[in-house]
Amino acid sequence: MNLSTVEERVRREVGVRLFTVLAWLPGRRVLHRAHTSHPDQYPVGGEKSVEIAADWLDRCINRQQPFFGPDAESVRQVFADHALIAELGCGSVINVPVIGPDGITLGALALLDAEHAYGPAQVDRAVELAELAVPALAELVQRLDTNQEDS
């Protein structure tokens, strides 16, 4: 399943204004943007490193637990780009890890919508839908790792 199809399912089953799929590249400790619903603001191929909150990385990437921020204050505390997120009408966030069959974190899905748009039921469904991104994200991570080795 491609990442556009994952976005369609998330949009239909959870709801989303801004959707991003991030590939985790542990060797460089960066999140590589693999897919986005807003390419003008968040271009594919962009990478996040220093602007990622350490506790977010530990929770979502290392401990493989979802992050849920129900309101704009939660978004402000974690994301350096919170002003752009607010401009897009988003004030609630769900981040869920995408975990490969070997138990390794491949990346994360980022779902953002209006403040208080999400609750525990949406977090649970997002966790389930993250599995749909495994094949495409695994292929991308493998390709990016191969490119790093070749350089």
Side-chain angles (χ1 to χ4, degrees):
M1 177 174 294
N2 68 38
L3 297 175
S4 294
T5 305
V6 175
E7 178 185 347
E8 291 169 18
R9 290 278 303 271
V10 167
R11 191 171 295 285
R12 186 172 62 244
E13 298 180 31
V14 179
V16 66
R17 288 186 187 190
L18 171 62
F19 178 76
T20 306
V21 180
L22 302 162
W24 173 240
L25 305 177
R28 294 177 29 226
R29 294 191 54 77
V30 297
L31 288 164
H32 176 94
R33 194 172 303 108
H35 176 85
T36 179
S37 62
H38 288 68
D40 291 338
Q41 295 90 349
Y42 293 99
V44 169
E47 295 185 345
K48 292 183 174 193
S49 58
V50 295
E51 68 269 22
I52 305 167
D55 53 343
W56 182 95
L57 266 179
D58 183 54
R59 178 184 187 89
C60 201
I61 300 299
N62 297 333
R63 291 187 284 136
Q64 301 178 329
Q65 297 174 346
F67 171 80
F68 171 50
D71 54 31
E73 181 58 29
S74 302
V75 172
R76 270 192 299 277
Q77 289 177 3
V78 175
F79 299 104
D81 58 341
H82 59 83
L84 176 55
I85 290 169
E87 284 178 27
L88 295 172
C90 300
S92 185
V93 61
I94 300 171
N95 297 122
V96 294
V98 177
I99 303 165
D102 56 1
I104 301 295
T105 305
L106 297 171
L109 302 185
L111 293 70
L112 293 100
D113 207 334
E115 193 167 33
H116 302 292
Y118 298 134
Q122 288 80 19
V123 174
D124 291 345
R125 187 65 188 132
V127 168
E128 294 168 358
L129 291 170
E131 294 177 21
L132 300 176
V134 168
L137 210 48
E139 187 275 328
L140 177 66
V141 168
Q142 182 179 13
R143 186 165 26 94
L144 291 174
D145 284 347
T146 300
N147 288 344
Q148 287 176 3
E149 290 170 6
D150 292 343
S151 52

